[in-house]
Amino acid sequence: MQISLDIQDDVYKKLVNAGVDMQSKFNEYLTTLSNKKDTYSNSQQFQDDKKYFHDTLKDIESGKARLVSHNEVWEEIEKHTSSH
């Protein structure tokens, strides 16, 4: 696959003069990005987050918790700030 990039002329010249192999640097960068995504999705933090959101959804669906509107949130904030 081929991708084109717009790089400022002065930056390009600096990279070329420094002997940077841009192709390998882009490949390294993209591999790092994909590994970070894979790292999170296989992490304990991901499992904890998934459980938290699943439990919250169950609470909402069962009526144990309720969603509040934007206006309700701001009313509570205004009550709190005006009482202090």
Side-chain angles (χ1 to χ4, degrees):
M1 174 181 279
Q2 191 171 17
I3 298 173
S4 65
L5 296 171
D6 289 323
I7 301 174
Q8 294 174 329
D9 289 341
D10 60 326
V11 173
Y12 179 78
K13 287 177 186 174
K14 287 179 185 178
L15 291 169
V16 169
N17 290 338
V20 174
D21 178 358
M22 288 181 269
Q23 183 65 53
S24 66
K25 291 296 182 188
F26 284 126
N27 287 338
E28 286 174 26
Y29 176 68
L30 294 173
T31 299
T32 300
L33 286 177
S34 65
N35 287 342
K36 284 182 181 178
K37 180 181 179 231
D38 292 341
T39 300
Y40 173 69
S41 63
N42 293 316
S43 71
Q44 182 60 46
Q45 183 63 49
F46 176 80
Q47 297 305 316
D48 294 345
D49 293 346
K50 182 178 174 181
K51 182 180 181 330
Y52 169 80
F53 286 109
H54 180 74
D55 291 347
T56 301
L57 179 61
K58 277 180 26 184
D59 288 347
I60 292 167
E61 290 175 338
S62 71
K64 185 176 177 183
R66 76 174 186 89
L67 297 174
V68 295
S69 70
H70 178 81
N71 290 339
E72 289 173 303
V73 171
W74 280 107
E75 286 173 14
E76 286 298 315
I77 291 170
E78 288 173 5
K79 281 184 207 175
H80 178 73
T81 56
S82 66
S83 66
H84 287 97

